[in-house]
Amino acid sequence: MLNKPTLSVAETSRILDAARAEAEKNHWAVTIAVVDDGGHPLALLRLDGCAPIGAYIATEKARTAALGRRESKQYEDSVNGGRAAFLSAPLLTSLEGGVPVVVDGQVVGAVGVSGVKASEDAQIARAGAQSVAH
């Protein structure tokens, strides 16, 4: 039987806190979503001023990173590079801002952020993911 690390409430809270701190430091109104390794929601935080659609987009970015085991930007790069077929992939968004959470070499979940420029969304997501990664 295999054993693997999983995100607990404590780690999920740490991820949200780190991502929120990064967003607030830069005065960015975003939504932050945290999912488990299967893409199932663990937490969602929409900061004041973020559009309601941010909740949907952030969750889909996180789900994409968790299921794909890579940053959602890699799908965006593929689409921009001519692989339009990724646009029809189920449960995936090809937008930058989803980052996997890796612990002991295994993806245990992901963080998705939406609300500002794509690279800024990713910056916030990385801050959250790196708060528990090792």
Side-chain angles (χ1 to χ4, degrees), residues 71-92:
E71 289 199 26
S72 58
K73 182 181 187 328
Q74 291 182 9
Y75 294 104
E76 181 177 6
D77 291 344
S78 291
V79 170
N80 290 341
R83 293 207 56 203
F86 272 115
L87 292 173
S88 65
L91 300 175
L92 298 176

Side-chain angles (χ1 to χ4, degrees), residues 11-105:
E11 286 89 26
T12 301
S13 295
R14 192 173 335 142
I15 290 167
L16 274 181
D17 290 345
R20 180 180 182 172
E22 183 68 20
E24 289 179 342
K25 175 180 81 173
N26 290 289
H27 307 286
W28 292 332
V30 297
T31 296
I32 303 157
V34 181
V35 300
D36 65 14
D37 64 332
H40 306 287
L42 295 174
L44 181 77
L45 176 65
R46 191 174 87 190
L47 299 180
D48 295 342
C50 184
I53 196 166
Y56 177 81
I57 295 171
T59 301
E60 290 305 307
K61 288 178 178 183
R63 183 175 288 128
T64 297
L67 294 175
R69 305 300 199 244
R70 63 187 57 128
E71 289 199 26
S72 58
K73 182 181 187 328
Q74 291 182 9
Y75 294 104
E76 181 177 6
D77 291 344
S78 291
V79 170
N80 290 341
R83 293 207 56 203
F86 272 115
L87 292 173
S88 65
L91 300 175
L92 298 176
T93 181
S94 56
L95 299 173
E96 182 177 6
V99 176
V101 177
V102 180
V103 175
D104 296 332

